[in-house]
Every structure is written in structure tokens, then in C-alpha cells.
Amino acid sequence: MIKQTLNLVTTKDHQHVAVWQIIDDEVFDNVNIIDSEARDSKEIHNASGANKKQNLLFLHGAFSDKEVCLGIASYFASLGYQCFVMEWRGHGSSSQPPSNYHLEDIAFYDVKATFDYLFDELKLDNLHCITHSGGGICLTLCLSRYPEFYDKINSICMVACQVFAGTSTPSSYAKLLLIKAVTRQLGYVDGKRLKLGTMNESYYLLSQWMDWNLNQNFVSYTPTPITKQLLKQTSLPLSSWRLSKKTQTITTSQPLDYRTLMPNITIPIYSICAAGDWVAPPRGTLKYLQAFNNSNNQWREFSIANGNLEDYNHARIFLSRNAAKEVWPTVLDWVERHS
């Protein structure tokens, strides 16, 4: 039976982020018994990591909460995996911040606090990250700033994730520019109407992603209200930071191009895209993956032309019956190969 347990993790800026544990009680208990017997047995004490209980962290994207991850998380839980789903601030059971926030805030505070909880408090000795859309962006941002997590993450799977290559044609550029103009007046992006999810998102949050695509770059914003407040508390200068990989110190600089840091993330990444996805079109996801410059990474497009069941859209590639049949098993294979 699938069991969901809520844990609230406190971020540096005093928000409470929901980190759900998703397990199958019966299967999980049996895996724990096998792990215990393996540790106690001298004959199989040095058994390969593939026999160990593996842990998965799911990060949803915009317009959603943990519900979009429950299908694939339950699939893995039924196979004996211990799964965790982090909900962005302002989403699901996480607290609603008093001020606006950007994707960088979610990355540097929410994802960072979740990693600290999993590695420092729960003492996990392995972790695989599976993301959808903006969840992959937030993961990239977090890892670019906190390289100490590189050696603690076994693998990454990014589904429908791109940042700076979604407007490669005049029509796609015009479409996003129109959406930006309309939603700026409304103050929000209608996720249901655009068939992107079950909830709306603020223009303030999504404007960052839209600007990256329209400008075809991936640069840091000037400090958000949250960052300004924290920098004042620590007496750091109010300017963009640059992280030294060796000293872990912050120095001032011009706006940072995250693409210069992406090659430092050498964790193997499996990128999945859908032929019918206009938010993360195949060409855009491929360019995003190529920015990591890692020959061990893998990219795959699901489409009818490639022999798949449908030309998935942005949501269905992650959560649908057809995705459960042919997409999820490839994620399982990726995790198993890197366990």
C-alpha cells in the first residue's frame, strides 16, 4: 500500500517546504529486511550498489504540486524505492511566502534545504533526481551554486526541461512574446487554459523563464526581494554572486551566465522530450542538455515518428497512461544503470 508522509523543511529564509516521503509499506519493509541481512552477512557484505535500497527525489515544475509526481513516484515505490517529492514554496502543502519569488529563490532556498534534510538529517547515502519542466531548471541552478552535492547524487532524469532555446522560430518567439504581454497585464499565467497544469502561476515567477527564452540566455537576475533581505542581514553586497568551486565563497560580479557553470555538473543526465511540447520543444531540450557538455548524458524524443504511442505534450510526457507504459520504464532503466 502506498503511504505518503509529510515532512516540513525550514529554508534559510524561514519558509516551510513540504517534502513528502512516498513508499509502498510492504515492499519497502521487505527491501529493508534484505538490506539488513546483506549488512550482517560476511559473504555478501561487499555486494554491489545495485542491491542497495535506492532513493529518489522528484521535483515538479510550474503550475503543479506533488500530485503531478504521484503517478511515477508510486510506480517506483511499488518496486521498493524510497521516494521523496518536494513541493515549491507557494505550492501544495508548502508555506506561502509574503513576497514574490523567482525560480532562483526556489533553487537556492527550497532545493538546497531539501538536500540538507535528505543528506544531513536522514543520512541518505545515495540519491537519484527526477524532475519535470521547471523542476529541472531549479535543480540545475541549485547544483551550479552548491557543487558539494555533486558526489552525493547518482543520476538525474530531466523530463521536458529547457531554458534558453524555446523560441528558435519566428512563430514560437511571437507566441511567447504575446503570452508575456498578456500575462503581464493579468499578473498571472493561466495554467489550466494553456493545458500546462492544474493551477495558475504568478507573472513574476514565470517572467524569468520567459525572459531567458526571449533573450536566448540563462543569466542570473538582480537580487530578488528575498535575496536582498538575506544579503542585508549578512552584510553582503547587493550584486550578483559568483561561486568559487574550491573556497565556496561568494564574490561580486556582473550577472552570471549559468551556462558557464553547467559543464561542472558531471552527474549523468537523461533528458526526455516530447514531439508535441511547445514549452520544451525537442530542439530546446537537446540544446539545454548539450550545455552540460557531458558525453555520458543521454537524450530521447518520444513521438509517433519514433515508434511511440503518441506525440506527447508538456504534461502528458510525465503523467499519463501512455507515459506509464513507455516513458517511466526508461527512467527506471536509467536509475538502475547508475545505482
Side-chain angles (χ1 to χ4, degrees):
M1 179 178 179
I2 300 296
K3 179 181 178 181
Q4 304 177 34
T5 304
L6 173 61
N7 301 280
L8 292 176
V9 177
T10 303
T11 66
K12 186 178 180 180
D13 64 322
H14 312 298
Q15 292 303 303
H16 300 295
V17 174
V19 180
W20 293 85
Q21 181 197 46
I22 312 294
I23 61 171
D24 186 310
D25 272 349
E26 295 183 4
V27 178
F28 187 74
D29 288 342
N30 288 337
V31 171
N32 278 334
I33 291 174
I34 295 173
D35 280 351
S36 177
E37 291 176 347
R39 287 192 298 270
D40 293 339
S41 172
K42 294 181 179 179
E43 295 180 358
I44 57 176
H45 182 71
N46 294 320
S48 68
N51 295 322
K52 291 178 59 177
K53 177 186 65 183
Q54 298 294 301
N55 307 291
L56 309 179
L57 172 63
F58 293 85
L59 300 175
H60 65 75
F63 309 103
S64 59
D65 52 25
K66 87 171 190 303
E67 298 301 318
V68 76
C69 299
L70 277 184
I72 188 171
S74 298
Y75 165 76
F76 273 96
S78 68
L79 297 174
Y81 290 83
Q82 178 174 217
C83 301
F84 298 90
V85 180
M86 188 208 84
E87 292 184 301
W88 293 6
R89 60 183 57 205
H91 294 66
S93 298
S94 295
S95 60
Q96 181 67 50
S99 58
N100 289 322
Y101 55 93
H102 279 307
L103 293 170
E104 287 170 296
D105 296 316
I106 296 170
F108 303 145
Y109 302 127
D110 301 0
V111 180
K112 169 63 163 57
T114 299
F115 280 151
D116 289 339
Y117 167 69
L118 296 177
F119 294 129
D120 297 340
E121 187 170 336
L122 298 189
K123 305 296 183 183
L124 300 187
D125 62 359
N126 68 78
L127 186 69
H128 305 262
C129 297
I130 300 174
T131 71
H132 179 238
S133 189
I137 300 172
C138 293
L139 177 62
T140 301
L141 291 169
C142 180
L143 292 177
S144 72
R145 183 168 181 177
Y146 298 103
E148 63 264 32
F149 295 125
Y150 292 177
D151 295 335
K152 298 181 179 182
I153 299 174
N154 298 55
S155 73
I156 296 172
C157 175
M158 293 183 179
V159 181
C161 180
Q162 74 84 26
V163 176
F164 46 79
T167 56
S168 57
T169 65
S171 61
S172 61
Y173 182 91
K175 180 177 182 178
L176 187 58
L177 190 63
L178 176 62
I179 292 175
K180 179 177 171 65
V182 172
T183 56
R184 183 175 183 178
Q185 295 297 319
L186 293 174
Y188 68 92
V189 181
D190 193 331
K192 290 183 179 180
R193 178 170 296 183
L194 294 174
K195 297 182 179 180
L196 295 175
T198 58
M199 59 184 289
N200 298 331
E201 287 289 357
S202 72
Y203 168 79
Y204 189 89
L205 174 66
L206 268 297
S207 63
Q208 190 173 33
W209 178 84
M210 290 188 280
D211 286 344
W212 283 331
N213 276 279
L214 292 171
N215 297 321
Q216 297 186 12
N217 64 26
F218 192 22
V219 298
S220 61
Y221 263 28
T222 54
T224 62
I226 296 171
T227 306
K228 286 181 179 179
Q229 181 181 4
L230 291 176
L231 289 175
K232 287 179 180 179
Q233 293 172 356
T234 57
S235 300
L236 288 175
L238 298 180
S239 59
S240 297
W241 47 262
R242 181 178 293 275
L243 185 68
S244 167
K245 190 173 181 180
K246 293 182 179 180
T247 63
Q248 303 293 299
T249 57
I250 297 174
T251 60
T252 60
S253 69
Q254 295 299 316
L256 174 65
D257 186 345
Y258 290 113
R259 287 175 295 187
T260 64
L261 296 179
M262 289 172 69
N264 294 334
I265 303 173
T266 57
I267 304 164
I269 300 172
Y270 174 36
S271 175
I272 295 173
C273 65
D277 187 351
W278 65 268
V279 176
R283 185 169 180 268
T285 62
L286 179 58
K287 279 194 170 184
Y288 189 68
L289 185 67
Q290 289 173 336
F292 291 97
N293 195 27
N294 185 348
S295 61
N296 292 320
N297 293 343
Q298 181 176 321
W299 178 84
R300 178 168 178 177
E301 176 187 350
F302 282 83
S303 65
I304 293 176
N306 288 332
N308 302 119
L309 295 173
E310 63 175 283
D311 288 332
Y312 295 89
N313 62 23
H314 191 66
R316 288 185 58 80
I317 188 64
F318 193 68
L319 179 62
S320 66
R321 290 184 178 180
N322 282 346
K325 293 178 181 178
E326 63 179 2
V327 179
W328 298 356
T330 70
V331 180
L332 172 63
D333 177 67
W334 184 259
V335 170
E336 289 182 336
R337 285 165 54 188
H338 297 90
S339 295

